[in-house]
Amino acid sequence: MTLEEKAALVVGTGLQFGDEIDKNSPYRIPNQPLPGTLADRTTVYVVGAIGRTLEIPRLGISTIEMVDGPAGASLGSRTTAFPIGTALASTWNEPLIHQVGQRMGHETLELGLDLLLAPAINIHRNPLTGRNFEYFSEDPLLSGKIGAALIKGIQSQGVGTSLKHFVANNQETNRIEVDAEISQRALREIYLRGFEIAVKEANPLTLMASYNSVNGNLATENEDLLVKIARQDWGYEGIIVSDWEAGVDPVKQMQSGLNLILPGPYQDTVLIEAVKDGRLEEKTLDKNIEWILKGVMRTPKFRKYRYANAQEFQKNAEVAKEAAVEGMVLLKNREQALPLMQENNKVALFGNGSYETIVGGSGSGYVMTAGPTVHLFEGLKNEGFEVSTTLSALYESYIEQNTPEQNKIEIARGRKKRAPEMKLDNDMVMEVAQKNDLAIFTISRVSGESADRQVDDNFNLSAIEVSNLKAVVQSFHAKNKKVIVVLNVGGVIETSSWKALPDAILVAWQPGQVAGNAIAEVLAGQTTPSGKLTATFPESYEDEPSARNFPGTPLDKPKRVIYQEGIYIGYRYFDSFQVQPSYPFGFGLSYTDFTFRDLELSTATFDDSLLVSTTVTNTGNFNGKEVVQLYISAPAETMHKPRKELKGFVKTKKLKPGESQKVSFKLEAKDLASFDVGASAWSVEKGEYLIQIGKSSADIILTETFSVAAPLQVETVSRALTPQIEIEELTPKNE
Ligand code: GLC
C-alpha cells in the first residue's frame, strides 16, 4: 500500500446528500480529486449515502458505504421511518427491539449499503437537549440494553452499526467546541456505562467519537477515551470513527486512537505531509488501517453480497407499528376514559399535530418515509371513528396557509418550519362539543440536531395550547364528554400544570410513518398500552438537577459545561433527594391490572451471582404486557449512592386476564458495584442490599434483602479522563 493509499484509507471519501442538496451547500464536497490525493474519492454508489471509505480494488479492499440513522436508513424517500429512539426504548422490550434492528438492517442491506449510523445512546441528561428523541433514556442500563438489542438485530442482517456519540454529547449548543467536565465516577457509572454494555454485548462494527471535548480533550483526539477505555478496558474490536467533521488535528486524531476520520475529503494531504516531515509515524497509520480492514471484512461489500433492492416495506411497516404501539405510555386514564368505545365514535380532533403528526425529529436522525405518513386524522378514520370534518377542514386550511416556505434541504433533513398552533374560537368549540361524543387533543413538538429546545413554548406549553386545552375541556366536560390528550413529542415536556384537566393522557412520542394507525390502535383498545417512561417528567424544568448548569458558560456559546449533578440525574436525583416528579421514571399505566407475587432469591448471601424471580398475574379485564423492573438499594458506608438504581427489567409476553408469567433476573457482582475513583475500580460494599420489584421507580411492589459479607473489588480499570477542574459535585449530604 502506498503512503497516499494509507493516508486516503484513514479518511472517508466525502459527504453527499444526493441531489437534494443545493449546489452551494457547505456539505457538498468538490467532485474533483484534490491535489496530491487519489482520484474520485467523493462519489458514493448509493445516492443519498452519507459517506464511504476508500476502496482499493487491486488490494481487494472494498468500500464501507454508510447511511444515517437511528430511525432507520435515512435515504431520501425510499425507506421506512421507524419510531424514534425514545419510543423504541419506551417499549422496554429487548426482543422486539432486536426485531426492529433486523428490519432496519435488512432495509440497509437491500439498499446496497454496509453500515447504518445507529444507535445513538447518549444519556437524557437534560430535557432540552435537541437530540434526545434519537437517544433512549436517563438510565445507562436501559440505554445499553436497548442499544445492544438494536445493534444485534441490525448486524444479524450482515450490515454494520455505529454506536454513537462517544461520549457525553448531551447538548447541541456549541457541540463542536464545548468541553464537558465530568467526574470519573459520573462518567463510568452514567455516561460511559451504556456504551460499555452495548460494546461488550453487541460488538458494534463502529464506535463514533463525538464532537465535544471530555475533560479537556476533544473526543476524537482523546487517547484516554479511545484507547484506555474503549480498547484496553472494554476490549472493543471494531473501528473507531469520528462524527462528521469532528475534531481539529488529523495527526493528533490518528495518534489518539481514532481509526477513521469522516467524512475526510482533505485530511489525507495533511497526513501525508506529517509522515514526510516526521510528525507522524507511518506505523500509526498502519495500526489504524488494521482496525479498518478488520471492519471491512465484516461488510456485505466485502462478501460481494449482491443486493436485490428487494425491500420488504410491508414487513418493515408492521414491525415499526408494533414498536410504535408498545412504546406508547399511558400517563393518565380517569374512570377508564380509554379505551374508546365504538359506540362513542364521533370524535372532535384538535391540535395541529392531529393533522400533521410528527413522525420523527430533524437532522441526521430524520427519515423521509417511503410510504405516506399516516396522520392521526387518517388513523382514527382507519380505525372506524367518525372524525369531525368541520374541524379537519379548519385545521387543514389553516396549516396550508400558515406553513412557511422552506427550501429543499429543510425537507431532506426534516427541518421543516411548521405553522404555529391554531388558536381555537370558544364558540366553535362549544358547537363542536354539541355534535361529537368526545375530544382528542394533540400536543406536538419537533426538535433535532444542531439546536437545543427552549423552556418557553416548547418544554412548557404555549399560551395558545393552554387556552385551547381549557376551552376544549370546559366545553366537553360541560356536556359530560371526555377529553383525551395525545403527546406527539420527541421528549419530556411540562405536564403538572395542566394534567388535571383532561381525562386521559397518552404519550405517543414520534412514532414513525405509521403514526396515526399506531395511536388509533391504542386509543381504540386494539392493543393495551405497555410502554414505560425512560426519563422522568419533572414538575418544572427548574427541578431538573442539570438545569443549574445546562448548557454551560458563556450561555450564548458555551465553552465549558460542568456536570455538577454528578451521578444524580433523572430518578437517581428525584428519588434520592425526594423531589416529587410529575411522572416518575419507569411509569406507565395499562388498561388492565397486574399483581406481582412470590419474590424469590437464590441465596441470602451474595457469592458471585444471585438469581431473582417473581410472578406477574394479569388481574384485569384486558390482555396486556407488564414491565417488571428490578431496583437495588446498596449500602452507602464507604461511598454515597443513589437511593435506588435500575439493575434489571423484563417485559412479559401478552398476558390474558388471569394469566401469569414467572420472570427471572441474574445479578452479578458488576451489577452491585459502584465506581471508586481513588482505586479506579468497580467495587461492591459489604452490607445489606435491598431488592425492589416495581412497576416504576416510584411504585415498588415487592422487596427482599440479601447481604454481601465482605467488600468485593470486581474490576480495576485504567485511570483515565481526569477532569481538568475540581468539580464541586452534588451528593445527598451536601444538597
Ligand atoms: C451528524 C451527526 C451524526 C451523523 C453524522 C452523519 O453530524 O452528529 O449522528 O451520523 O453527522 O450525518
Side-chain angles (χ1 to χ4, degrees):
M1 209 182 280
T2 65
L3 175 58
E4 283 67 25
E5 285 170 328
K6 289 183 181 181
L9 193 51
V10 295
V11 301
T13 63
L15 176 70
Q16 306 247 340
F17 284 104
D19 55 9
E20 285 135 344
I21 288 292
D22 73 30
K23 301 298 173 243
N24 309 316
S25 154
Y27 283 122
R28 176 170 286 286
I29 312 295
N31 247 327
Q32 68 281 353
L34 297 162
T37 64
L38 292 164
D40 183 19
R41 291 180 29 234
T42 58
T43 49
V44 285
Y45 294 111
V46 179
V47 170
I50 200 72
R52 67 178 174 86
T53 56
L54 182 76
E55 61 190 337
I56 308 178
R58 73 176 176 79
L59 299 176
I61 297 172
S62 53
T63 183
I64 304 176
E65 191 142 343
M66 311 166 188
V67 66
D68 280 311
S74 172
L75 201 67
S77 55
R78 285 167 276 165
T79 53
T80 307
F82 287 87
I84 56 170
T86 301
L88 297 180
S90 301
T91 68
W92 294 57
N93 186 336
E94 290 166 89
L96 175 57
I97 297 311
H98 186 274
Q99 241 192 312
V100 168
Q102 287 174 313
R103 300 319 308 162
M104 288 181 177
H106 178 270
E107 189 160 78
T108 303
L109 177 74
E110 286 306 318
L111 286 164
L113 293 157
D114 303 284
L115 185 75
L116 181 65
L117 297 166
I121 71 163
N122 294 99
I123 289 289
H124 287 172
R125 171 175 182 255
N126 184 286
L128 302 183
T129 300
R131 296 185 78 172
N132 274 349
F133 75 94
E134 289 181 81
Y135 306 159
F136 293 150
S137 174
E138 68 192 27
D139 179 84
L141 177 78
L142 187 57
S143 298
K145 290 291 187 182
I146 296 293
L150 202 64
I151 291 165
K152 284 188 268 191
I154 294 167
Q155 298 193 159
S156 71
Q157 303 304 301
V159 299
T161 56
S162 193
L163 181 62
K164 65 189 188 181
H165 307 87
F166 191 56
V167 74
N169 184 163
N170 299 108
Q171 65 190 62
E172 289 303 291
T173 311
N174 199 22
R175 66 177 179 172
I176 61 172
E177 282 181 333
V178 73
D179 172 33
E181 288 292 322
I182 313 170
S183 75
Q184 287 153 296
R185 182 175 180 194
L187 272 168
R188 292 280 184 172
E189 290 189 17
I190 305 293
Y191 297 98
L192 288 167
R193 184 72 181 116
F195 286 89
E196 178 181 7
I197 292 167
V199 157
K200 288 181 174 176
E201 295 189 8
N203 188 22
L205 179 55
T206 68
L207 176 63
M208 185 191 289
S210 58
Y211 286 112
N212 57 286
S213 290
V214 186
N215 291 348
N217 276 312
L218 284 163
T220 56
E221 302 175 7
N222 199 318
E223 190 169 356
D224 272 16
L225 181 67
L226 306 181
V227 178
K228 287 189 181 177
I229 293 175
R231 297 290 189 202
Q232 292 168 5
D233 291 348
W234 298 349
Y236 179 56
E237 289 283 317
I239 310 172
I240 299 179
V241 307
S242 72
D243 199 339
W244 263 238
E245 293 165 342
V248 173
D249 177 352
V251 174
K252 191 167 177 215
Q253 287 178 321
M254 289 288 105
Q255 292 166 333
S256 305
L258 188 79
N259 309 139
L260 178 59
I261 301 172
L262 290 170
Y266 59 84
Q267 288 91 333
D268 51 350
T269 49
V270 173
L271 296 176
I272 289 167
E273 272 152 48
V275 169
K276 286 181 176 166
D277 66 22
R279 282 179 297 118
L280 175 65
E281 291 186 278
E282 193 161 339
K283 70 177 178 15
T284 304
L285 293 182
D286 296 345
K287 234 170 32 173
N288 289 325
I289 285 167
E290 208 178 313
W291 287 117
I292 294 173
L293 296 183
K294 279 183 186 169
V296 164
M297 291 191 284
R298 291 170 58 185
T299 63
K301 269 306 176 322
F302 185 76
R303 294 192 301 275
K304 298 190 178 13
Y305 176 78
R306 299 184 58 72
Y307 69 98
N309 212 346
Q311 290 305 343
E312 296 170 349
F313 286 130
Q314 184 50 39
K315 207 166 174 183
N316 296 349
E318 280 159 17
V319 174
K321 186 165 96 159
E322 189 180 346
V325 164
E326 276 216 27
M328 293 187 192
V329 183
L330 183 61
L331 297 181
K332 179 180 182 182
N333 193 17
R334 184 163 57 197
E335 295 158 15
Q336 289 288 336
L338 290 176
L340 303 178
M341 294 308 165
Q342 282 304 340
E343 56 274 18
N344 293 341
N345 76 338
K346 285 194 177 60
V347 174
L349 189 56
F350 296 93
N352 289 20
S354 298
Y355 303 92
E356 193 181 55
T357 305
I358 313 286
V359 298
S362 66
S364 58
Y366 179 74
V367 180
M368 190 197 280
T369 66
T373 298
V374 181
H375 300 294
L376 181 53
F377 178 47
E378 288 86 5
L380 287 166
K381 288 192 289 185
N382 296 343
E383 197 60 53
F385 290 97
E386 199 185 312
V387 192
S388 157
T389 48
T390 313
L391 274 175
S392 60
L394 257 180
Y395 271 102
E396 285 174 344
S397 63
Y398 170 83
I399 290 170
E400 178 59 34
Q401 286 151 29
N402 292 277
T403 297
E405 273 312 299
Q406 72 266 327
N407 62 31
K408 281 191 70 177
I409 295 179
E410 310 226 316
I411 298 177
R413 308 290 276 171
R415 288 186 197 93
K416 204 166 168 298
K417 292 186 180 61
R418 288 179 168 76
E421 190 61 40
M422 183 177 88
K423 175 102 179 72
L424 294 173
D425 166 82
N426 289 357
D427 296 340
M428 181 275 286
V429 174
M430 298 275 280
E431 206 180 299
V432 165
Q434 185 66 37
K435 295 178 184 157
N436 291 280
D437 299 323
L438 65 107
I440 295 175
F441 188 100
T442 302
I443 293 170
S444 55
R445 290 285 182 275
V446 68
S447 68
E449 188 171 349
S450 69
D452 290 318
R453 293 167 57 191
Q454 301 303 314
V455 177
D456 295 340
D457 301 341
N458 191 305
F459 179 81
N460 293 333
L461 265 54
S462 66
I464 287 184
E465 286 170 331
V466 174
S467 71
N468 284 353
L469 181 58
K470 286 179 176 171
V472 169
V473 167
Q474 195 172 7
S475 302
F476 279 78
H477 281 182
K479 300 189 179 330
N480 199 22
K481 296 175 179 178
K482 307 277 189 193
V483 177
I484 318 295
V485 167
V486 172
L487 297 184
N488 172 216
V489 295
V492 174
I493 66 166
E494 192 274 333
T495 48
S496 58
S497 64
W498 55 268
K499 66 185 182 182
L501 295 172
D503 300 283
I505 303 172
L506 177 71
V507 187
W509 303 116
Q510 292 156 356
Q513 69 192 41
V514 294
N517 288 340
I519 302 170
E521 180 175 318
V522 173
L523 293 175
Q526 303 299 343
T527 302
T528 297
S530 61
K532 301 280 183 175
L533 293 182
T534 65
T536 306
F537 276 57
E539 289 273 335
S540 70
Y541 173 70
E542 294 66 33
D543 282 355
E544 284 287 343
S546 61
R548 300 165 201 159
N549 54 57
F550 181 92
T553 52
L555 212 48
D556 61 326
K557 194 168 190 211
K559 289 279 186 292
R560 172 173 282 173
V561 56
I562 303 173
Y563 286 30
Q564 277 147 323
E565 71 286 345
I567 61 174
Y568 296 97
I569 67 151
Y571 71 92
R572 284 176 170 79
Y573 169 75
F574 288 92
D575 187 38
S576 305
F577 291 85
Q578 302 290 300
V579 175
Q580 184 62 32
S582 185
Y583 294 104
F585 173 82
F587 179 81
L589 299 174
S590 173
Y591 295 152
T592 188
D593 290 311
F594 297 97
T595 60
F596 299 166
R597 59 182 158 76
D598 305 339
L599 172 55
E600 288 164 11
L601 274 55
S602 57
T603 170
T605 307
F606 185 84
D607 40 27
D608 63 3
S609 70
L610 170 66
L611 299 178
V612 181
S613 67
T614 186
T615 300
V616 190
T617 303
N618 179 346
T619 53
N621 306 316
F622 289 86
N623 294 342
K625 296 185 177 184
E626 180 57 297
V627 177
V628 186
Q629 299 161 44
L630 185 153
Y631 295 87
I632 282 196
S633 300
E637 295 311 313
T638 60
M639 295 170 77
H640 61 81
K641 304 263 175 70
R643 213 155 78 98
K644 67 165 80 78
E645 294 182 285
L646 181 74
K647 296 298 179 183
F649 60 92
V650 174
K651 186 156 205 178
T652 68
K653 66 182 189 332
K654 187 181 289 186
L655 297 174
K656 297 187 188 64
E659 193 178 3
S660 296
Q661 179 182 340
K662 184 172 181 179
V663 298
S664 50
F665 306 84
K666 181 177 184 186
L667 295 172
E668 296 177 323
K670 181 79 172 271
D671 298 315
L672 309 181
S674 296
F675 188 71
D676 176 345
V677 175
S680 196
W682 289 92
S683 55
V684 176
E685 278 195 55
K686 76 177 174 48
E688 186 163 274
Y689 288 72
L690 180 67
I691 285 189
Q692 301 145 82
I693 301 293
K695 297 183 171 179
S696 85
S697 59
D699 185 3
I700 300 303
I701 310 293
L702 301 171
T703 61
E704 190 50 89
T705 58
F706 67 91
S707 63
V708 172
L712 296 170
Q713 189 147 62
V714 181
E715 182 189 355
T716 304
V717 293
S718 314
R719 205 170 284 280
L721 293 182
T722 307
Q724 300 282 297
I725 57 167
E726 195 57 39
I727 301 175
E728 175 62 30
E729 259 191 336
L730 178 67
T731 64
K733 295 184 184 57
N734 72 9
E735 214 271 339

